Amino acid sequence: QVQLVESGGGLVQPGGSLRLSCAASGFTFSSTEMSWYRQAPGKEREMVATSTSAGASTNYADSVKGRFTISRDNAKNTMYLQMNNLKPEDTAVYYCNTVIVSRQGSWGQGTQVTVSS
């Protein structure tokens, strides 16, 4: 069974930084494209960043370009999201997932990121 465990969230002031981690199991992580998503209260879940299996190709939502960096360590089955210059509008629950699993409606618990003074 696919398991995705997000961690690293917390409370940070505007302009601060956080590094999120996603520990994956139950599938071949090294051959799977992975993405970070986020969902704020009252809003739809949105894709924040995507990384190919090798990590050589990445894509970001316009709202986070230049501030967030997605990376992965396939040897550790772990994906990361480095978030810099955080803004209040970045406040959300952050999730990691594969495209297929996300379409199936399966999600982990996510990790809460709150950006506030």
Side-chain angles (χ1 to χ4, degrees), residues 33-47:
E33 183 175 281
M34 298 291 296
S35 297
W36 283 99
Y37 304 79
R38 68 184 181 187
Q39 185 170 31
K43 296 184 178 180
E44 295 184 352
R45 200 191 318 265
E46 64 174 338
M47 185 166 60

Side-chain angles (χ1 to χ4, degrees), residues 25-103:
S25 63
F27 64 100
T28 307
F29 180 84
S30 61
S31 64
T32 304
E33 183 175 281
M34 298 291 296
S35 297
W36 283 99
Y37 304 79
R38 68 184 181 187
Q39 185 170 31
K43 296 184 178 180
E44 295 184 352
R45 200 191 318 265
E46 64 174 338
M47 185 166 60
V48 174
T50 297
S51 176
T52 60
S53 59
S57 181
T58 59
N59 192 31
Y60 299 90
D62 288 341
S63 59
V64 307
K65 286 181 179 178
R67 299 189 298 118
F68 291 10
T69 302
I70 188 172
S71 63
R72 61 196 295 160
D73 186 339
N74 286 340
K76 297 181 178 180
N77 283 5
T78 303
M79 181 172 67
Y80 306 95
L81 184 68
Q82 179 66 48
M83 306 185 295
N84 297 324
N85 191 25
L86 284 161
K87 304 176 180 180
E89 52 262 43
D90 295 319
T91 296
V93 178
Y94 284 72
Y95 304 87
C96 61
N97 219 332
T98 74
V99 172
I100 293 177
V101 174
S102 69
R103 290 175 177 173

